[in-house]
Amino acid sequence: MKKEKTKVYVAMSGGVDSSVAAALLKKQGFDVVGVFFKPWQPPVAGLCQWQQDRQDAMQVAAKLGIEFKTWDFSKEYGKSVAQYMIDSYRAGITPNPDVMCNKEIKFGLFLKKALAEGADYIATGHYVRKNKDKLLKAIDPNKDQSYFLYTLTQDQLKYCLFPIGDYLKPEVRQLAKKFGLPNHAKKDSQGICFIGELNMKDFLKNYIKPKRGEIKLFSSGQTIGYHDGAYYYTIGQRHGLDIKNGGGPYYVVNKDLKKNIVYVTNSSLSSALKAKRAIIKNASWVSDAPDLPLNAQIKIRYRTKSVPAKITRNVSSHSLQIQFKKPVRALTPGQSAVFYNGQTVLGGGVIL
């Protein structure tokens, strides 16, 4: 018997973006199934409001008249994303849990399970576009989330739909109201994909014991303050530094984990904060790996602009080397470097 409609499983978080994605697909005639993922719960009381998010997603599904499922991914979130994040901070690097969340959960576990249940496609509320076998930036430059999706492969991308990538955020809000979605006025989540909003240091203290150490000026080695654990700080960070002698703001430029020292500078323009070269591990390409060397635009953090650079192969360590045309600020081990050719996402890797 021939299937009448193309079936799409939509990852529904309870937020406006994924709700509008489901509504648009329903309007376009797809057989839509909404799926909410039960996340891992941190031990910090009151952090994870997943029950309310699930309720919001259920109400949207009821309004749209679509099937709704809840899949318990809490163990997988804990193992693949939360533990990765904790281990990274313990190793002194700053991880990007949203990248891992997309790789392991949304476009790993969710995609696999949805296809096994008979889905033709999966869809998410990401601000990103797809054109045949290419992954493209979203229309809205302020909301573009392509930075977090560079690990997508052709085998995954062919099953993915991104219904809101062609819209500006205000237009998505308007659509939510037009469709009569009960969560149309819900605020956007600003937190980590599987937890929500949290104070990272408070969260990490459950796993990494605080240890008092010195804050020193990078230029002179002079002690100007104290911290409660070098693990908690990231390169370029300027908030949360207990420095009493004024002369700030101060920025973290380096860490010595063995001696538990955090080094700072009081200038965001300091040469100590800048680098012209980076080593990249765990490289991933959306299409076939290109010939190297390769000139591309590279984004080293989500909220930074792309900068021109040359990518070469680092033969001795099976990694990639990036040579930036101009020095970049606050290059941070553990964060992702994502490669672009104009609007097209080429791939990326983790800054080593």
Side-chain angles (χ1 to χ4, degrees):
M1 183 177 174
K2 188 180 179 183
K3 188 158 59 172
E4 291 183 9
K5 286 185 176 181
T6 302
K7 181 169 281 194
V8 184
Y9 276 44
V10 183
M12 295 182 68
S13 65
V16 172
D17 297 333
S18 59
S19 299
V20 170
L24 287 169
L25 291 168
K26 173 77 187 297
K27 187 181 179 186
Q28 290 164 18
F30 291 100
D31 178 9
V32 178
V33 177
V35 182
F36 178 85
F37 312 155
K38 181 185 174 185
W40 174 80
Q41 283 190 279
V44 184
L47 265 186
C48 191
Q49 307 296 326
W50 70 266
Q51 291 96 336
Q52 183 58 54
D53 290 336
R54 179 176 177 270
Q55 191 70 30
D56 293 341
M58 284 178 68
Q59 290 177 352
V60 170
K63 172 68 179 177
L64 296 176
I66 62 173
E67 186 181 353
F68 182 81
K69 298 172 180 277
T70 300
W71 288 350
D72 186 351
F73 288 165
S74 55
K75 285 182 181 178
E76 291 84 358
Y77 270 117
K79 182 180 177 183
S80 300
V81 188
Q83 195 59 51
Y84 149 79
M85 186 172 82
I86 294 160
D87 290 345
S88 296
Y89 275 104
R90 192 175 279 130
I93 62 175
T94 306
N96 201 314
D98 289 288
V99 170
M100 193 60 69
C101 182
N102 286 320
K103 180 182 178 182
E104 299 292 337
I105 307 297
K106 291 175 184 171
F107 301 98
L109 193 61
F110 172 53
L111 173 60
K112 189 175 180 181
K113 188 169 180 178
L115 293 177
E117 285 201 2
D120 297 294
Y121 295 97
I122 63 164
T124 67
H126 283 104
Y127 283 87
V128 67
R129 293 176 295 153
K130 181 177 107 170
N131 183 5
K132 296 179 182 176
D133 63 347
K134 289 185 178 181
L135 183 66
L136 307 173
K137 291 181 181 179
I139 290 291
D140 191 336
N142 294 317
K143 296 298 293 183
D144 172 55
Q145 292 172 304
S146 60
Y147 176 84
F148 299 113
L149 299 182
Y150 74 87
T151 63
L152 278 174
T153 65
Q154 289 296 304
D155 285 342
Q156 296 166 320
L157 190 61
K158 66 184 179 183
Y159 295 113
C160 297
L161 300 176
F162 304 106
I164 66 169
D166 288 307
Y167 294 92
L168 300 174
K169 178 68 184 196
E171 294 173 330
V172 171
R173 284 276 180 198
Q174 290 168 2
L175 283 170
K177 199 167 184 179
K178 180 183 172 185
F179 288 129
L181 302 184
N183 63 347
H184 68 86
K186 186 175 181 178
K187 288 184 179 180
D188 289 346
S189 170
Q190 300 298 323
I192 292 170
C193 65
F194 63 101
I195 296 176
E197 296 183 42
L198 86 166
N199 180 298
M200 183 58 73
K201 189 193 287 188
D202 289 345
F203 169 74
L204 290 172
K205 281 180 179 177
N206 291 278
Y207 305 94
I208 305 172
K209 192 175 179 180
K211 184 182 177 184
R212 182 177 163 88
E214 295 174 307
I215 298 175
K216 293 190 174 191
L217 275 177
F218 185 76
S219 56
S220 65
Q222 178 190 350
T223 299
I224 59 171
Y226 295 89
H227 61 80
D228 48 6
Y231 303 102
Y232 306 139
Y233 295 86
T234 187
I235 305 301
Q237 180 175 334
R238 58 170 285 194
H239 298 291
L241 294 166
D242 185 18
I243 298 172
K244 298 290 193 289
N245 70 341
Y250 290 91
Y251 302 83
V252 176
V253 292
N254 207 348
K255 300 185 293 183
D256 186 328
L257 291 182
K258 285 186 177 180
K259 295 181 179 178
N260 196 31
I261 298 171
V262 171
Y263 292 96
V264 299
T265 179
N266 61 353
S267 171
S268 65
L269 301 176
S270 168
S271 60
L273 263 177
K274 295 184 176 181
K276 280 201 75 172
R277 194 172 66 93
I279 303 297
I280 304 298
K281 65 174 183 175
N282 301 339
S284 175
W285 301 97
V286 177
S287 296
D288 292 337
D291 293 331
L292 298 178
L294 173 71
N295 290 312
Q297 293 91 44
I298 298 181
K299 185 178 278 205
I300 60 167
R301 286 189 187 224
Y302 174 45
R303 287 298 183 190
T304 59
K305 289 184 177 180
S306 302
V307 292
K310 178 182 280 189
I311 306 168
T312 56
R313 196 170 306 285
N314 202 345
V315 180
S316 61
S317 61
H318 303 289
S319 55
L320 300 179
Q321 181 171 296
I322 296 175
Q323 189 75 31
F324 297 99
K325 288 201 171 179
K326 292 182 179 179
V328 293
R329 183 184 174 279
L331 194 66
T332 307
Q335 287 290 296
S336 295
V338 182
F339 318 145
Y340 294 88
N341 178 13
Q343 295 291 305
T344 304
V345 184
L346 301 176
V350 178
I351 299 167
L352 185 62

